Amino acid sequence: MNSTWLRRFTTTAADGPRLVCFPHAGGSATAFKDLARALHPDIDVLCVQYPGRQDRYREEPFTALAPLAEAVTEELARELAADGRPYALFGHSMGSLVAFETARLLARRRLPAPQRVFFSGRGGPDLRDSAYDLYDDADMLAEVRRLGGTDQSMLEDPDILELVLPALRADYRILGTYRATAGEPLTVPVTALIGDSDPIATVRDAHTWREHTTGDFTVEVFPGGHFYLFDQTDRVAAAVTEGLLTRAAAS
């Protein structure tokens, strides 16, 4: 794609609804590569690439959520205006917060609303995270090891760590300093997805997203921990496909 912010991991662009995916803290667009390939072929999956990682590693990462969401919204506004196709948002962990704030900004600008928003791996924005902004590198790496979802051998390679730590530090600062501001709830359908043994977010936490939309609300629970979606890719793809295509058929 001709975009600094968006990546596509399928060979051709589908002509159905778009799914815009937002990665977790320390994550990159490639976190959604397997999901993109497992989804219904009619769904065009666009994965957000935050600055400071992979092919954008020379760029300064964002350390606050509001300007990050603003930048993503600007990019999506241009993309959505190009053809007016229906779309949905999918955020995992920190990506859920970025997706939420992006959806709010799109609504404030009176841009077309998503068909559905999928919030994965965390509770609603009012739930406070740990003081992640106070973590040093050892604390961060211990947390990354605890949560899994990352090739552990990478964490032992000094050269790789030198590349990934700046983005990880920035993302942990985002999580530690984020505070949801008052505002109107979303008006679109929301699906919250959660692993049944996630060590940092519970099924009850997932239900708190109900307070942040006036639209239909469902919770999907999967076997696994914080990165359940890597092990349950086909089941997650089925849930997303059903949520999107059912909605499209009803509209």
Side-chain angles (χ1 to χ4, degrees):
M1 293 190 64
N2 185 24
S3 170
T4 303
W5 283 90
L6 301 172
R7 303 288 180 272
R8 182 184 282 121
F9 296 110
T10 50
T11 54
T12 57
D15 57 6
R18 285 177 164 160
L19 182 70
V20 183
C21 297
F22 298 76
H24 56 281
S28 62
T30 52
F32 294 104
K33 181 169 63 175
D34 290 343
L35 179 61
R37 293 172 177 171
L39 279 163
H40 192 286
D42 285 347
I43 299 173
D44 184 23
V45 184
L46 304 179
C47 307
V48 177
Q49 185 78 301
Y50 307 138
R53 59 216 77 204
Q54 291 187 333
D55 55 335
R56 302 188 70 185
Y57 81 95
R58 293 184 185 276
E59 299 177 49
E60 194 71 22
F62 285 83
T63 58
L65 197 143
L68 174 58
E70 287 274 2
V72 175
T73 300
E74 289 291 337
E75 184 68 24
L76 284 183
R78 286 192 291 270
E79 192 70 27
L80 298 173
D83 56 19
R85 287 165 55 187
Y87 71 99
L89 308 179
F90 186 112
H92 180 67
S93 197
M94 184 189 86
S96 290
L97 296 178
V98 185
F100 173 69
E101 293 294 349
T102 298
R104 294 175 89 186
L105 287 169
L106 290 167
R108 288 172 192 157
R109 298 182 186 192
R110 302 186 184 279
L111 292 166
Q115 287 191 319
R116 182 175 292 270
V117 183
F118 299 88
F119 296 120
S120 169
R122 68 161 292 128
D126 294 330
L127 297 182
R128 292 284 298 274
D129 283 305
S130 299
Y132 289 130
D133 52 316
L134 302 181
Y135 277 25
D136 60 19
D137 289 355
D139 294 330
M140 288 190 303
L141 293 175
E143 182 75 350
V144 170
R145 291 186 178 96
R146 181 171 78 97
L147 295 179
T150 301
D151 183 352
Q152 300 298 302
S153 64
M154 293 174 55
L155 304 178
E156 309 303 328
D157 187 321
D159 293 331
I160 294 177
L161 277 181
E162 184 178 354
L163 294 176
V164 303
L165 275 174
L168 192 61
R169 293 184 192 112
D171 291 352
Y172 268 57
R173 180 163 179 78
I174 285 174
L175 289 173
T177 58
Y178 172 76
R179 302 292 182 270
T181 57
E184 293 296 317
L186 302 179
T187 60
V188 300
V190 164
T191 299
L193 305 92
I194 195 76
D196 61 5
S197 56
D198 191 323
I200 60 172
T202 66
V203 174
R204 171 181 266 184
D205 291 339
H207 278 273
T208 62
W209 284 107
R210 163 77 277 185
E211 304 167 19
H212 297 281
T213 184
T214 60
D216 295 337
F217 178 75
T218 59
V219 174
E220 298 278 354
V221 182
F222 301 87
H226 190 60
F227 289 102
Y228 72 90
L229 71 171
F230 294 161
D231 300 319
Q232 304 291 331
T233 303
D234 288 341
R235 290 183 62 181
V236 174
V240 171
T241 298
E242 181 180 5
L244 265 182
L245 298 187
T246 300
R247 173 70 175 176
S251 60

